[in-house]
Amino acid sequence: MASSNTSSRSPFLLLFRNAGPDAHAHLNEQERADLTKRWNDWYGRLEAEGKVSTGAPLALNGRVVTGRVGNVVTDGPYAEAKEIVGGFVILTVANLDEATEIARQVPGLAIDLTVEVRPIAAVSPALEGVKGHA
């Protein structure tokens, strides 16, 4: 059941890495179906508990824009397999410990997925203290 006291809860991002096609290549059709069911059950439980606001897998193609060399746009991302970001979930929970505990239950950990747990800041830490960005 969702908590009615959301004022003491904060947003956290779960970022799923090592999620490229190679991470799933060793799974047969039944194992893929079982993993998909475990993901859906995990996400559905978080939704029912009012702890997830959104989440989605990411396509493998896209673009990378960088300003380091004159606003270059390239097809990509071209990351090492262990760095491929395959999706995300945004949680609203009490604290980093609760977000971490939820991350420890991610079904993809069984196939060597890595989950990065990050608090979502109201203001970019680089802008903290800058006038107009309280």
Side-chain angles (χ1 to χ4, degrees):
M1 176 188 292
S3 169
S4 60
N5 181 8
T6 57
S7 63
S8 62
R9 299 180 340 149
S10 301
F12 291 86
L13 172 72
L14 301 184
L15 195 60
F16 306 120
R17 296 185 183 276
N18 192 20
D22 293 344
H24 300 89
H26 68 284
L27 301 175
N28 65 38
E29 187 175 333
Q30 185 59 52
E31 290 169 328
R32 287 174 188 251
D34 291 345
L35 182 59
T36 299
K37 182 180 182 331
R38 288 195 311 270
W39 271 104
N40 290 338
D41 290 349
W42 174 81
Y43 190 87
R45 179 180 51 81
L46 293 173
E47 269 187 321
E49 293 172 355
K51 294 181 179 181
V52 66
S53 58
T54 192
L58 299 175
L60 294 175
N61 63 337
R63 300 248 165 93
V64 176
V65 178
T66 181
R68 286 178 265 169
V69 189
N71 287 333
V72 174
V73 177
T74 57
D75 289 333
Y78 297 112
E80 292 184 40
K82 67 182 181 183
E83 296 172 347
I84 292 175
V85 176
F88 69 94
V89 166
I90 296 179
L91 301 172
T92 304
V93 295
N95 53 43
L96 183 58
D97 290 336
E98 184 178 4
T100 302
E101 187 56 36
I102 290 169
R104 293 182 70 210
Q105 300 165 16
V106 167
L109 293 173
I111 60 165
D112 209 25
L113 183 86
T114 300
V115 182
E116 186 173 336
V117 182
R118 303 282 300 271
I120 297 175
V123 174
S124 168
L127 295 177
E128 286 182 3
V130 174
K131 189 174 183 175
H133 293 89

